[in-house]
Amino acid sequence: MAGGRKRSPAAPSRLSATLSAIWRDKHLVLFKAEYTFLVAAVLWILEIGINVWVIQKVAYTEIDWKAYMDEVEGVINGTYDYTQLKGDTGPLVYPAGFVYIFGALYYITDHGLNIRLGQYVFAGFYLITLLLVFRIYHRTKKVPPYVFFFVCCASYRIHSIFVLRLFNDPVAMMLLFGAVNLFLDRHWTLGCALYSLAVSVKMNVMLFSPGLLFLLLSEFGLIKTLPKLILCGVIQLLLGLPFLLVNPVGYVNRAFDLGRQFLFKWTVNWRFLPEEIFLSRYFHFALLLAHLTTLAVFALKRWKRVLILGLIELAWNTYPSTTYSSVSLHVCHFIILLCLWLNPTSTPQTESHNKAKRH
């Protein structure tokens, strides 16, 4: 049009620019952390099909599901004394959050009889958990994307725990990873609440509490950390209240029993030891002391996370466990500890101090 301005060529869309960058770096997609989202999205979609295939083609393994249903059925029938609640594999030894969540699953799966439906529910838990884990990797950008394949698709153990055995660990870890995502987004109070819910499903989530306490103290100091710790405790109190009102000692002893004995036939870590040593209380005390000492030393001197996947995954996928798989597991963890000690990372404070010195 006469007198009109000449139009400039349309700028390339953001999508086309992204696709061009991917094509340009196609040989590095699996190695560059900035492509975490792309690789994670592809693997997550692939995992939908893998889970359907596993559920349809691989035999379900009954271990604890029936016991879970028996335990929550006792509560549904009006028994609130924890010492009276039990299943095929023994007494109920999980906190109250477990009862509420698996009570809901009891109704969803027709009193626990519809195993196939339960498997698909747990497949949903798995996909949610995977999204949460991938989001952590996407936010931190510390791990090359090729590692994700071993985290999910290549791991028989993870699919077995979620969709073939229907353990309570997946529910607890889903809540835990949700809490970690909230911590990354600096929603500390909500994250602590979700973390407490995870503990209410299975007590072993408390193993993450030293790290969480370290982060809270680093972020807020002692005084401002206390309300968040109190929130965690109040949630446990409210969830357990129906059982605490009936038999408080019985509930605490069963739900948070620190003296439970693990059976030697199920161990992966300690297969190379004689059974009498494995069952010894002196050995247990020595492990606890070593754990607390290590936490204290690292809290004072080093605080760094390192991931070694190959041999650890292989060791955990070896069933039944062998002397070699058990020893390799300990060697890998010793290497992690050694690397943590010898290669400390700079803290934000030291980096700021170094920059100030340079200027």
Side-chain angles (χ1 to χ4, degrees):
M1 181 182 295
R5 289 183 300 176
K6 184 178 181 181
R7 290 184 179 180
S8 60
S13 68
R14 184 175 180 180
L15 177 61
S16 62
T18 301
L19 293 175
S20 297
I22 293 173
W23 178 253
R24 184 175 62 252
D25 294 338
K26 58 184 179 295
H27 58 296
L28 297 174
V29 166
L30 296 179
F31 300 93
K32 296 179 71 172
E34 52 261 43
Y35 293 117
T36 292
F37 180 84
L38 172 65
V39 176
V42 171
L43 291 176
W44 190 83
I45 294 171
L46 184 61
E47 275 290 346
I48 297 175
I50 291 174
N51 274 272
V52 171
W53 183 88
V54 169
I55 292 171
Q56 294 293 332
K57 299 297 183 181
V58 182
Y60 162 77
T61 306
E62 173 55 50
I63 296 180
D64 284 334
W65 174 257
K66 187 176 184 304
Y68 293 165
M69 296 298 101
D70 290 341
E71 290 160 1
V72 299
E73 188 175 54
V75 178
I76 292 169
N77 291 336
T79 302
Y80 290 91
D81 184 347
Y82 244 60
T83 62
Q84 302 302 314
L85 295 170
K86 59 183 179 180
D88 284 352
T89 58
L92 173 57
V93 292
Y94 306 115
F98 162 86
V99 174
Y100 301 133
I101 293 174
F102 278 81
L105 292 173
Y106 174 87
Y107 287 111
I108 291 171
T109 60
D110 190 21
H111 299 186
L113 299 178
N114 192 338
I115 302 295
R116 182 56 55 85
L117 177 57
Q119 288 181 282
Y120 278 107
V121 171
F122 272 76
F125 291 160
Y126 173 71
L127 292 172
I128 293 171
T129 303
L130 202 57
L131 275 179
L132 293 170
V133 172
F134 283 155
R135 186 174 185 272
I136 293 170
Y137 285 133
H138 179 64
R139 287 292 306 276
T140 56
K141 289 184 168 58
K142 297 292 185 181
V143 179
Y146 75 85
V147 171
F148 304 159
F149 176 78
F150 300 100
V151 170
C152 55
C153 299
S155 176
Y156 174 83
R157 180 170 60 97
I158 198 70
H159 293 96
S160 176
I161 289 172
F162 273 85
V163 300
L164 294 181
R165 299 181 180 182
L166 311 185
F167 288 150
N168 61 343
D169 304 76
V171 180
M173 296 309 296
M174 178 177 64
L175 294 172
L176 173 68
F177 286 124
V180 173
N181 274 270
L182 288 170
F183 295 144
L184 286 173
D185 294 337
R186 307 188 70 78
H187 298 306
W188 292 94
T189 300
L190 189 56
C192 286
L194 198 59
Y195 172 78
S196 187
L197 289 176
V199 172
S200 77
V201 176
K202 194 166 186 179
M203 187 183 66
N204 64 353
V205 177
M206 290 179 66
L207 292 171
F208 294 86
S209 59
L212 176 57
L213 179 61
F214 174 85
L215 292 175
L216 290 173
L217 291 173
S218 300
E219 186 73 17
F220 300 104
L222 178 59
I223 301 301
K224 292 185 178 180
T225 293
L226 289 177
K228 293 172 175 55
L229 299 181
I230 292 172
L231 173 64
C232 292
V234 168
I235 289 174
Q236 295 301 319
L237 182 64
L238 292 176
L239 291 173
L241 192 59
F243 310 102
L244 290 168
L245 291 175
V246 175
N247 186 348
V249 175
Y251 174 74
V252 173
N253 285 342
R254 285 290 176 83
F256 299 98
D257 182 7
L258 297 177
R260 285 172 56 197
Q261 180 66 64
F262 195 69
L263 298 178
F264 182 71
K265 70 176 182 178
W266 296 116
T267 183
V268 175
N269 292 338
W270 303 107
R271 178 66 62 183
F272 63 91
L273 291 178
E275 185 172 359
E276 57 270 20
I277 294 179
F278 175 82
L279 298 175
S280 169
R281 288 297 180 186
Y282 295 104
F283 176 62
H284 303 163
F285 179 76
L287 287 178
L288 178 60
L289 182 62
H291 179 70
L292 294 176
T293 302
T294 303
L295 285 175
V297 171
F298 274 77
L300 292 172
K301 299 292 185 180
R302 305 284 188 264
W303 202 271
K304 177 185 175 184
R305 288 180 295 176
V306 174
L307 183 63
I308 297 178
L309 287 176
L311 287 175
I312 291 178
E313 183 64 23
L314 180 62
W316 276 106
N317 280 329
T318 301
Y319 179 81
S321 58
T322 65
T323 297
Y324 297 109
S325 67
S326 186
V327 169
S328 66
L329 201 61
H330 284 275
V331 169
C332 285
H333 285 96
F334 174 76
I335 292 172
I336 290 175
L337 290 174
L338 190 62
C339 290
L340 288 169
W341 183 258
L342 296 177
N343 299 288
T345 56
S346 299
T347 63
Q349 291 82 0
T350 57
E351 288 179 357
S352 300
H353 180 67
N354 291 336
K355 288 180 180 178
K357 288 176 66 177
R358 286 196 295 268
H359 292 293

